[in-house]
Amino acid sequence: MTSETRFNTSTRNALSFVMCAALWLSAGYVVSAQSGSKSGRSLTDAQERNSKVKGSMKLPTVMTRVATTRTSPFEPPEDTDHSFSTDDAPKLDTGCIFRSSGPIVFNIEIKRFIGRLRSDGTLADADKLIASGALSRTAKLIMPGFDVDSGATAQGVQPERDRVSVNGEAVGFLQGQNNRWILNSFEVDIRKIKFAERGTDGSEPTGGVNEIRIDIDTANSDEAWCTSVDWGSAGFRALSPILLIHGNNSDDEFYVRQKFTDELDERSLAYDNKVFGDSKDNPTTNFISVNANILAKNIPKLVRSFGAKTVHLVAHSKGGLDARAYLASPALQNNKDFKVISLSTLSTPHDGSVLADLSIEREAAAEQVGTIGRIEYEGFPAFTRQLTALAQRFVGIDNGRRNLTTGSVADFNGRNLQRLGGSSATFNTVAADMDLNENGQVDREPDEFLEIRKEGALSDNFITTRIVDTLYQILRTTRNINVTYRDQCIPLTNLCRQIATLTSVDNPTLLGNDTLVTIPSALGALSMQSRTRNTFTFDGVNGRNHSDVANRGVAQRVLPWLFSTDREKGGLR
Ligand SMILES: [Ca+2]
Ligand SMILES: [Ca+2]
Ligand SMILES: [Ca+2]
Ligand SMILES: [Ca+2]
C-alpha cells in the first residue's frame, strides 16, 4: 500500500463517517415523526402532540431556530427587481402550529414600479402589459411548507388542507408530506398582485404590500394538523423601463411631440422622457462630455425610482453620442445598482456630420480672411453660400455642434469605442432618408419636412424648402471639405484681400440622409456598425426626416429589439 492510497483510504473513511453521522441525524427527524404510525394509518399531528404531553412522543418540530431565519432546507431566491421574498415575520419559522395559533400571515413587498395603479394597489393596465408581452400573466409564489399531511389517512379525520390566499383570494392548498419540508409553488393572477408606486426625486419606489395567508387545517372541525412556513417569494417577468434621451438643442418633450411615446403609452410601458430635465423654453446644447456627466447624475436616480436593475436607453441624434460617452464612463462602470442593457440610437451621427464640418470650416475661414476677405464655395449646391452666412448670423455654432464634426467624432470614437466594450448594452441603430418620393431632392409636395419645420418653428415658404433642400444636398454629395487660401490684390497697389475657398470633396455615391445625418453615419459605418445587433433604415415611402425619425412607427420598429434583449438579460428573462 503506497502512502498515497493510505491517505486516500483514510480520507474516505473520514468522509464516510461524516456522511453516516449526517444521515443518522436526518434519519432522527424522520423516526421521531413516524414513530406514531400503527397498522398503516397515520396519527394526526394533534394525536402526536397529545402523546407528547403524556411523555411518550416527540413534538415534530424539526429544527431549532438559529441565528438566521432558515428553518427549511430551501434557500429563498435572491431578491431582484422582479423577485421579492420575505424570510422573517412573526408567523414564519414558528415550528409546527395548529389552527388555533394561526393563520400564518405575512407580507411580500413588491418594490418595483411597473405602471399606473388602481386604488387597491393592483395594476391599472395589466391587460395591456400582458398583451404587449411586457409582463407575465402570473406571478409565481413559492414557499416551503413543513409537515403538510395532505395525503394523510388518519381514521375519521380529513387530510391536512392548508388554504393559501394572496390578498384575500384563495390560490390553492399546500401540498406536502409528514414531517418533511416541501417547496410549494402557486401561479397567481398578476392582476391580483399589488405593485409599487414610483419613487419621487430619485428615491426607491413605495412597495406594494401583498398579504400571503395560510389558513391551517380547513377541512376538519376539530383541529388535527399543524404546519409551518419558512419564507415566501413572489416572482414575475417584466420589461425593464425605457429612458428617452433627446438630441442637441432639443428638450424633454421631443419624443412626445414626435409621438414615439404614443406607442409606449398604448402598450403602458414604463418609461421616462425627462432624462436631461430640459423644458421646451430651455433647450440645451452641451459638449458630449458635459451631457455624459448629466446622464451619469440623472440616470441612476431614474432607474432607482422604478426599482429596476436593468434599463433601456433610446437616444436621438447627438443624444446617442452623449449616451455612448456615459456608457463608457468610469462612473457607470463602477455602478453596481443597475445595468444599461440596450442603447438604441435614432439618427445619431456616429461618424459625425459634414454639415458641422461646414459650419466650423466657414467660421475658421471667416476669422482668417477678416472683414475684407471673401469665402468662396466650390462644388457645393448653389444656395450654400447664403445658407452658411444666414446660419452664422442667426443661429451661430453651439457647443453641441462643435462636437459633431467628422473630425471631432472620429477623435471621440478613438477614445470611446474600446471602453464601450466594457458596457453590458446591446447596440441598435436607426438610420433615415427623408426623400419619400425618391426624386433626389426635398419636396413640399409630398411634404418631406413638416416635422422639421415644427421642431424648428420654421415658416412654411419657398426659402425654407430651399434651405432644407440645400442641407440635404450637401450631405448627399459631400464627403469632406478642403480649405485653401489665396491672396487677391488690386493690380499696381498693395491692396490685397485673402480669399478662402471651401471645396466639396464628393462622396463616391450619393448618400441618403435626414437633413442632418447621413445613413452611413447613423449606422456608424466607421464606428458602431460591427457592434450593432439590430439596425433599420427608414427610406423610400417609409422615409423619415431628422425629427420624425422618433415617431410612432419608429417606436414600433425599435420596441421588439428591446423585448428581445430584455428576455436575454433584463426583467423578462
Ligand atoms: Ca405530521
Ligand atoms: Ca401537519
Ligand atoms: Ca424564514
Ligand atoms: Ca423628394
Side-chain angles (χ1 to χ4, degrees):
M1 195 183 260
T2 66
S3 62
E4 190 179 300
T5 28
R6 264 199 311 279
F7 175 74
N8 283 344
T9 307
S10 62
T11 308
R12 198 159 49 236
N13 287 342
L15 275 175
S16 68
F17 171 77
V18 171
M19 289 179 69
C20 280
L23 281 172
W24 176 79
L25 282 172
S26 58
Y29 301 136
V30 176
V31 166
S32 74
Q34 292 180 339
S35 56
S37 181
K38 282 174 191 163
S39 64
R41 279 227 171 84
S42 335
L43 292 183
T44 67
D45 297 335
Q47 287 164 338
E48 288 198 35
R49 175 182 57 180
N50 295 340
S51 311
K52 163 79 160 62
V53 171
K54 288 173 203 154
S56 63
M57 298 293 289
K58 285 179 182 140
L59 185 72
T61 38
V62 172
M63 300 179 191
T64 39
R65 197 161 175 157
V66 282
T68 68
T69 53
R70 181 71 48 257
T71 45
S72 77
F74 301 101
E75 286 291 324
E78 203 175 324
D79 274 12
T80 64
D81 60 359
H82 54 291
S83 175
F84 299 89
S85 60
T86 297
D87 198 352
D88 206 2
K91 287 289 186 179
L92 293 175
D93 311 299
T94 50
C96 215
I97 58 170
F98 290 83
R99 190 197 307 154
S100 52
S101 306
I104 296 170
V105 180
F106 62 98
N107 294 329
I108 297 179
E109 197 179 348
I110 307 273
K111 297 173 195 153
R112 171 74 182 272
F113 172 83
I114 297 290
R116 231 158 35 93
L117 302 178
R118 297 179 200 279
S119 57
D120 67 357
T122 61
L123 289 168
D125 303 306
D127 289 332
K128 274 188 182 179
L129 283 157
I130 294 165
S132 63
L135 184 66
S136 54
R137 191 170 293 279
T138 58
K140 181 174 271 189
L141 168 67
I142 57 175
M143 53 187 165
F146 174 65
D147 187 63
V148 181
D149 299 272
S150 48
T153 54
Q155 194 167 20
V157 177
Q158 294 296 314
E160 183 169 347
R161 301 285 276 161
D162 305 322
R163 186 176 55 234
V164 178
S165 306
V166 176
N167 296 328
E169 296 213 23
V171 298
F173 293 90
L174 289 178
Q175 297 287 318
Q177 290 174 26
N178 182 38
N179 215 19
R180 295 275 302 275
W181 280 98
I182 300 289
L183 195 57
N184 277 255
S185 175
F186 302 89
E187 295 292 335
V188 183
D189 188 339
I190 202 87
R191 291 169 299 187
K192 308 294 183 192
I193 297 292
K194 299 180 183 186
F195 284 88
E197 295 269 13
R198 191 162 166 204
T200 49
D201 297 327
S203 62
E204 288 183 357
T206 309
V209 177
N210 294 274
E211 186 198 77
I212 315 299
R213 173 182 169 125
I214 297 108
D215 288 294
I216 303 165
D217 190 16
T218 57
N220 293 299
S221 47
D222 292 333
E223 65 178 19
W225 305 108
C226 66
T227 191
S228 176
V229 171
D230 182 351
W231 48 263
S233 168
F236 53 91
R237 290 189 307 282
L239 184 76
S240 312
I242 303 166
L243 302 183
L244 306 173
I245 299 167
H246 69 69
N248 190 42
N249 244 320
S250 189
D251 63 275
D252 288 340
E253 296 306 311
F254 170 75
Y255 289 90
V256 178
R257 291 193 296 275
Q258 296 307 323
K259 305 197 188 318
F260 191 95
T261 52
D262 279 13
E263 185 63 20
L264 306 182
D265 289 334
E266 177 61 31
R267 302 193 194 196
S268 295
L269 305 183
Y271 70 89
D272 199 313
N273 56 308
K274 296 182 170 50
V275 180
F276 282 123
D278 306 319
S279 69
K280 176 75 176 157
D281 308 330
N282 187 25
T284 57
T285 172
N286 280 317
F287 292 124
I288 293 170
S289 56
V290 172
N291 274 353
N293 282 328
I294 297 175
L295 294 178
K297 183 165 138 273
N298 292 355
I299 288 177
K301 288 193 212 166
L302 294 173
V303 175
R304 197 181 310 124
S305 72
F306 287 103
K309 303 282 187 202
T310 49
V311 66
H312 299 282
L313 304 182
V314 174
H316 175 240
S317 193
K318 175 174 166 289
L321 299 179
D322 300 336
R324 280 176 51 195
Y326 161 64
L327 290 176
S329 74
L332 181 70
Q333 276 152 20
N334 290 335
N335 188 308
K336 302 277 182 286
D337 295 338
F338 70 95
K339 281 195 166 108
V340 175
I341 55 172
S342 80
L343 168 63
S344 302
T345 61
L346 316 179
S347 273
T348 287
H350 289 294
D351 299 333
S353 171
V354 79
L355 284 178
D357 295 6
L358 184 60
S359 308
I360 302 294
E361 297 293 2
R362 190 209 174 271
E363 182 189 52
E367 199 164 307
Q368 174 71 27
V369 301
T371 46
I372 61 159
R374 181 181 161 78
I375 301 170
E376 295 179 344
Y377 294 85
E378 289 280 342
F380 284 98
F383 200 59
T384 302
R385 178 189 173 76
Q386 293 90 328
L387 174 67
T388 52
L390 281 172
Q392 190 76 22
R393 184 164 164 206
F394 292 109
V395 185
I397 305 174
D398 59 47
N399 287 344
R401 204 188 317 169
R402 289 186 192 281
N403 271 181
L404 295 181
T405 63
T406 52
S408 175
V409 177
D411 287 348
F412 169 78
N413 285 333
R415 297 188 304 272
N416 176 263
L417 287 173
Q418 197 177 352
R419 289 162 73 183
L420 215 48
S423 159
S424 47
T426 296
F427 298 102
N428 310 308
T429 53
V430 166
D433 177 30
M434 67 192 293
D435 186 11
L436 297 174
N437 60 358
E438 298 186 287
N439 66 347
Q441 67 181 46
V442 172
D443 296 296
R444 181 61 184 75
E445 284 290 336
D447 195 339
E448 294 171 340
F449 62 111
L450 170 66
E451 297 78 12
I452 287 181
R453 289 198 304 278
K454 283 189 178 172
E455 278 297 312
L458 301 174
S459 56
D460 181 9
N461 57 35
F462 170 74
I463 297 293
T464 309
T465 310
R466 192 73 195 275
I467 288 171
V468 175
D469 183 58
T470 303
L471 297 172
Y472 182 80
Q473 299 304 335
I474 294 169
L475 283 175
R476 197 161 182 259
T477 54
T478 301
R479 184 172 69 184
N480 53 51
I481 300 160
N482 266 349
V483 186
T484 54
Y485 294 94
R486 66 188 156 91
D487 286 331
Q488 185 185 55
C489 302
I490 300 174
L492 307 176
T493 74
N494 291 329
L495 298 174
C496 295
R497 64 174 182 174
Q498 209 173 16
I499 297 183
T501 306
L502 275 56
T503 306
S504 167
V505 178
D506 287 350
N507 285 312
T509 56
L510 298 172
L511 300 182
N513 69 83
D514 67 2
T515 310
L516 284 176
V517 180
T518 63
I519 290 171
S521 185
L523 301 179
L526 306 176
S527 53
M528 290 298 287
Q529 198 151 31
S530 62
R531 298 157 193 264
T532 302
R533 166 96 49 101
N534 303 288
T535 187
F536 192 80
T537 298
F538 287 87
D539 58 4
V541 289
N542 293 315
R544 299 288 194 281
N545 58 53
H546 196 66
S547 296
D548 72 348
V549 74
N551 75 3
R552 187 166 181 178
V554 175
Q556 288 166 348
R557 173 62 65 169
V558 169
L559 282 174
W561 301 342
L562 308 194
F563 276 80
S564 162
T565 294
D566 215 282
R567 284 191 286 272
E568 185 191 321
K569 46 191 175 184
L572 288 179
R573 71 190 181 278

Short mmCIF file of all heavy atoms in Angstrom, two decimals, residues 243 274-277 293-303:
data_model
loop_
_atom_site.label_atom_id
_atom_site.label_comp_id
_atom_site.label_asym_id
_atom_site.label_seq_id
_atom_site.Cartn_x
_atom_site.Cartn_y
_atom_site.Cartn_z
N LEU A 243 -35.60 54.73 -20.98
CA LEU A 243 -35.30 56.15 -20.83
C LEU A 243 -35.04 56.76 -22.20
O LEU A 243 -34.30 56.20 -23.01
CB LEU A 243 -34.06 56.35 -19.93
CG LEU A 243 -34.16 55.77 -18.52
CD1 LEU A 243 -32.90 56.10 -17.72
CD2 LEU A 243 -35.41 56.28 -17.79
N LYS A 274 -37.83 62.49 -19.28
CA LYS A 274 -37.22 63.67 -18.66
C LYS A 274 -35.84 63.32 -18.11
O LYS A 274 -35.58 63.40 -16.92
CB LYS A 274 -38.13 64.21 -17.57
CG LYS A 274 -39.46 64.72 -18.14
CD LYS A 274 -40.35 65.30 -17.07
CE LYS A 274 -41.54 66.01 -17.68
NZ LYS A 274 -42.28 65.22 -18.68
N VAL A 275 -34.98 62.91 -19.03
CA VAL A 275 -33.67 62.42 -18.59
C VAL A 275 -32.69 63.58 -18.37
O VAL A 275 -31.95 63.61 -17.40
CB VAL A 275 -33.11 61.41 -19.61
CG1 VAL A 275 -31.76 60.90 -19.16
CG2 VAL A 275 -34.09 60.24 -19.77
N PHE A 276 -32.74 64.56 -19.27
CA PHE A 276 -31.89 65.74 -19.08
C PHE A 276 -32.58 66.78 -18.18
O PHE A 276 -31.93 67.57 -17.53
CB PHE A 276 -31.54 66.40 -20.42
CG PHE A 276 -30.45 65.68 -21.18
CD1 PHE A 276 -30.67 65.21 -22.47
CD2 PHE A 276 -29.20 65.49 -20.60
CE1 PHE A 276 -29.67 64.57 -23.18
CE2 PHE A 276 -28.19 64.84 -21.31
CZ PHE A 276 -28.43 64.38 -22.60
N GLY A 277 -33.89 66.75 -18.18
CA GLY A 277 -34.62 67.73 -17.38
C GLY A 277 -34.70 69.10 -18.05
O GLY A 277 -34.68 70.12 -17.39
N ASN A 293 -21.92 63.60 -18.26
CA ASN A 293 -21.94 63.78 -16.81
C ASN A 293 -23.34 64.00 -16.28
O ASN A 293 -23.69 63.54 -15.19
CB ASN A 293 -21.03 64.95 -16.39
CG ASN A 293 -19.57 64.53 -16.41
OD1 ASN A 293 -19.25 63.38 -16.14
ND2 ASN A 293 -18.69 65.46 -16.76
N ILE A 294 -24.14 64.72 -17.06
CA ILE A 294 -25.55 64.91 -16.64
C ILE A 294 -26.27 63.56 -16.63
O ILE A 294 -27.01 63.24 -15.70
CB ILE A 294 -26.26 65.92 -17.57
CG1 ILE A 294 -25.60 67.29 -17.46
CG2 ILE A 294 -27.75 66.00 -17.23
CD1 ILE A 294 -26.14 68.33 -18.44
N LEU A 295 -26.01 62.76 -17.67
CA LEU A 295 -26.63 61.42 -17.71
C LEU A 295 -26.17 60.58 -16.52
O LEU A 295 -26.96 59.87 -15.90
CB LEU A 295 -26.29 60.72 -19.02
CG LEU A 295 -26.87 61.35 -20.30
CD1 LEU A 295 -26.41 60.57 -21.53
CD2 LEU A 295 -28.39 61.41 -20.24
N ALA A 296 -24.88 60.68 -16.21
CA ALA A 296 -24.34 59.88 -15.10
C ALA A 296 -24.97 60.30 -13.76
O ALA A 296 -25.06 59.50 -12.83
CB ALA A 296 -22.82 60.03 -15.03
N LYS A 297 -25.41 61.53 -13.71
CA LYS A 297 -26.05 62.02 -12.48
C LYS A 297 -27.53 61.63 -12.46
O LYS A 297 -28.05 61.22 -11.42
CB LYS A 297 -25.89 63.54 -12.43
CG LYS A 297 -26.43 64.21 -11.21
CD LYS A 297 -25.89 65.64 -11.11
CE LYS A 297 -26.96 66.63 -10.69
NZ LYS A 297 -27.78 67.21 -11.74
N ASN A 298 -28.21 61.77 -13.60
CA ASN A 298 -29.67 61.61 -13.61
C ASN A 298 -30.15 60.18 -13.81
O ASN A 298 -31.16 59.78 -13.24
CB ASN A 298 -30.28 62.49 -14.71
CG ASN A 298 -30.14 63.97 -14.40
OD1 ASN A 298 -29.67 64.33 -13.32
ND2 ASN A 298 -30.52 64.81 -15.33
N ILE A 299 -29.46 59.41 -14.63
CA ILE A 299 -29.96 58.07 -14.96
C ILE A 299 -30.06 57.17 -13.73
O ILE A 299 -31.08 56.51 -13.53
CB ILE A 299 -29.14 57.43 -16.11
CG1 ILE A 299 -29.47 58.14 -17.42
CG2 ILE A 299 -29.41 55.93 -16.22
CD1 ILE A 299 -28.67 57.67 -18.62
N PRO A 300 -29.05 57.14 -12.84
CA PRO A 300 -29.18 56.28 -11.67
C PRO A 300 -30.41 56.61 -10.81
O PRO A 300 -31.08 55.73 -10.30
CB PRO A 300 -27.89 56.52 -10.89
CG PRO A 300 -26.91 56.96 -11.93
CD PRO A 300 -27.72 57.76 -12.91
N LYS A 301 -30.71 57.91 -10.70
CA LYS A 301 -31.89 58.31 -9.92
C LYS A 301 -33.18 57.80 -10.57
O LYS A 301 -34.07 57.31 -9.87
CB LYS A 301 -31.98 59.85 -9.86
CG LYS A 301 -30.93 60.50 -8.99
CD LYS A 301 -31.34 61.96 -8.78
CE LYS A 301 -30.14 62.85 -8.65
NZ LYS A 301 -30.51 64.26 -8.78
N LEU A 302 -33.24 57.93 -11.89
CA LEU A 302 -34.45 57.50 -12.59
C LEU A 302 -34.62 55.99 -12.47
O LEU A 302 -35.71 55.49 -12.20
CB LEU A 302 -34.40 57.91 -14.06
CG LEU A 302 -34.44 59.43 -14.31
CD1 LEU A 302 -34.20 59.74 -15.77
CD2 LEU A 302 -35.78 60.00 -13.86
N VAL A 303 -33.52 55.26 -12.64
CA VAL A 303 -33.60 53.80 -12.57
C VAL A 303 -34.05 53.37 -11.16
O VAL A 303 -34.90 52.50 -11.00
CB VAL A 303 -32.25 53.15 -12.94
CG1 VAL A 303 -32.30 51.65 -12.76
CG2 VAL A 303 -31.88 53.49 -14.38
#
